[in-house]
Amino acid sequence: MKLMRTLNKVGLKSLHILDPEVSHAVTVKMLRTGLGVWPKQIQDKAISYTLGDLTFQNPVGMAAGFDKNAEVPKTLFKIGFGHVEVGTLTPQPQQGNQRPRNFRLTKDRAVINRYGFNNDGHMVVRRRLEKLGKTNGILGVNIGANKTSDDRSGDYVKGIHRFNDVADYFAVNISSPNTPGLRDLQAKDQLHELLSRVLTARDEEHAKGKRKVPVLLKIAPDVTEEGLQDIAQVALELKVDGLIVSNTTITRPPLKDQKQAQEAGGLSGEPLFRLSTIVLAKMRRLVGPDMPIIGVGGIHSGETAWTKICAGANLLQIYSAMVYEGPDLVADINQYLLDKTIENGLSSLQEAVGSNMQAWADEPLS
Ligand SMILES: Cc1cc2nc3c(=O)[nH]c(=O)nc-3n(C[C@H](O)[C@H](O)[C@H](O)COP(=O)(O)O)c2cc1C
């Protein structure tokens, strides 16, 4: 075990010599071979979570953007993730922005990216998911809109129809900062229209005798109090199945790596933790205890994972910390959460959800 950890650390160091985008491509290639990956699933009823018909074996998921094209979900489940969110996927394949478009801020343990939804498009990824067969975890499909689309809401509707048979849940991503104007879909009227169309599409699929696939909305952390209230109101009114809080931020909290900090794009990793946790807690306070929320942004340890749960998250996702900590982090977080649950005399981790919400929700947004 110790040897594998050391090998992983050495592997990570070597990957960091490469350009971040190249290093990511190499990682995905390595994961495709499955070599050096050994099962590390931590299973215990105390950390499982049920959302509708879905049972998440553990709360830790791989956030969208890592496996954009659904090439390695099975290996990610083996590493120990309870759920994997593939995408963001757009109807037409897209190259995304010019390189370089992914930057490591090593001293800050952060990442800035401006990929702009590079992906293989619906058809290719749908075929890949059809071949996947049964997986040992929950598979989320994150959907978006093409940059040049003249009906952006229509692109999300297409996503629902294309992936209904292969997705365990949908993430509606209107929060990427790298597609100009996309975040405007978070404004109240536009959001109402978009979600009405998306949920109608989902219900049409269900009416054909298919599964009713939960739809979760992924929001940005760069929102005002009023903006949050609007989103919460629409989500409650239309009975969205859950929220994912949050995507990357276009703000720049104090950063050590001044040069990289000037790169345009969305910041993720440790400097995002505070803002995304405040937004999460405010959202929890607005929507009440029953709406499922996935907390994401800056989680990099068992402690930060526990903090997110206590701020109001039912489930968690990580991305940037995988770049700095490597795959052992997933099992480490799950083990920590299990230990904390027992230590606090709880029968389920879910009993801790929101236990420290008030303190976080009272913090200002900037
Ligand atoms: C390189 C990179 C690419 C990303 N691509 C997407 C994406 O395609 N769709 C999406 O919804 N989020 C995307 N994200 C955002 C993550 O899913 C997550 O919300 C964010 O990184 C915060 O989590 P973290 O601090 O653990 O990284 C991306 C993040 C990174 C670092």
Side-chain angles (χ1 to χ4, degrees):
M1 189 72 129
K2 253 196 166 159
L3 176 68
M4 290 311 290
R5 271 183 188 266
T6 313
L7 285 176
N8 274 339
K9 288 274 173 215
V10 173
L12 266 186
K13 279 228 162 99
S14 337
L15 281 170
H16 282 201
I17 297 167
L18 304 171
D19 160 81
E21 183 160 355
V22 175
S23 133
H24 180 252
V26 170
T27 307
V28 171
K29 274 218 168 81
M30 279 179 352
L31 291 173
R32 269 167 75 169
T33 69
L35 287 174
V37 173
W38 74 109
K40 277 194 97 180
Q41 280 145 343
I42 296 192
Q43 288 193 5
D44 193 300
K45 220 174 168 310
I47 55 166
S48 73
Y49 176 66
T50 307
L51 192 163
D53 296 337
L54 306 175
T55 301
F56 293 71
Q57 298 288 355
N58 70 64
V60 183
M62 180 81 241
F66 180 86
D67 190 11
K68 281 186 192 273
N69 294 309
E71 294 174 277
V72 290
K74 280 199 164 164
T75 314
L76 293 171
F77 289 127
K78 248 194 207 162
I79 287 172
F81 285 106
H83 68 285
V84 172
E85 195 172 299
V86 301
T88 296
L89 295 160
T90 56
Q92 301 307 318
Q94 220 174 240
Q95 297 216 317
N97 294 323
Q98 270 190 351
R99 297 184 188 202
R101 50 194 182 173
N102 189 8
F103 307 87
R104 259 185 241 116
L105 287 74
T106 307
K107 283 186 212 137
D108 299 292
R109 298 183 92 73
V111 173
I112 290 177
N113 92 83
R114 51 168 180 269
Y115 272 108
F117 290 169
N118 55 317
N119 76 105
D120 291 346
H122 283 179
M123 293 317 288
V124 169
V125 175
R126 196 205 137 96
R127 258 177 258 128
R128 210 168 273 149
L129 288 174
E130 278 168 349
K131 284 196 204 132
L132 199 64
K134 213 181 138 28
T135 58
N136 196 15
I138 302 294
L139 190 113
V141 175
N142 180 308
I143 51 176
N146 277 114
K147 187 177 176 184
T148 54
S149 171
D150 46 23
D151 176 15
R152 286 199 164 156
S153 301
D155 282 9
Y156 291 87
V157 170
K158 280 183 191 157
I160 299 285
H161 290 304
R162 285 271 148 76
F163 292 105
N164 192 83
D165 296 343
V166 286
D168 288 323
Y169 74 83
F170 284 110
V172 173
N173 177 18
I174 48 169
S175 45
S176 166
N178 302 315
T179 296
L182 192 85
R183 285 180 167 195
D184 296 345
L185 289 169
Q186 293 185 133
K188 196 172 185 188
D189 291 347
Q190 291 205 49
L191 183 64
H192 197 282
E193 200 228 307
L194 168 74
L195 287 178
S196 303
R197 287 182 71 183
V198 163
L199 292 166
T200 302
R202 188 275 308 271
D203 292 344
E204 281 166 11
E205 290 293 329
H206 183 48
K208 292 182 204 158
K210 296 180 182 168
R211 287 171 313 128
K212 188 170 179 180
V213 181
V215 171
L216 280 68
L217 178 71
K218 183 166 180 180
I219 67 166
D222 309 320
V223 272
T224 58
E225 298 275 356
E226 297 71 35
L228 276 178
Q229 284 162 17
D230 288 347
I231 294 170
Q233 203 187 329
V234 174
L236 287 169
E237 184 194 326
L238 297 180
K239 298 194 172 60
V240 166
D241 299 285
L243 297 167
I244 304 176
V245 186
S246 74
N247 213 312
T248 55
T249 179
I250 53 168
T251 64
R252 295 289 180 266
L255 293 166
K256 296 185 192 105
D257 197 332
Q258 286 296 319
K259 192 166 161 269
Q260 300 279 64
Q262 283 162 26
E263 293 293 347
L267 174 77
S268 56
E270 293 188 24
L272 174 62
F273 182 76
R274 187 179 151 74
L275 175 63
S276 61
T277 308
I278 293 172
V279 175
L280 161 74
K282 286 184 189 289
M283 235 348 168
R284 171 58 74 204
R285 187 156 67 182
L286 286 164
V287 297
D290 296 333
M291 183 172 289
I293 304 186
I294 302 180
V296 50
I299 298 169
H300 57 276
S301 60
E303 288 87 343
T304 45
W306 174 254
T307 302
K308 276 277 194 224
I309 297 277
C310 297
N314 302 99
L315 293 167
L316 307 169
Q317 290 180 345
I318 53 176
Y319 185 158
S320 303
M322 290 293 285
V323 174
Y324 295 105
E325 305 295 331
D328 294 316
L329 181 66
V330 186
D332 289 351
I333 291 179
N334 278 320
Q335 188 61 55
Y336 184 93
L337 294 177
L338 180 57
D339 292 347
K340 268 298 214 198
T341 305
I342 297 165
E343 218 176 279
N344 282 277
L346 310 174
S347 58
S348 163
L349 176 67
Q350 292 303 312
E351 291 168 29
V353 172
S355 54
N356 195 27
M357 171 192 74
Q358 209 62 37
W360 279 99
D362 284 342
E363 290 288 320
L365 280 168
S366 52

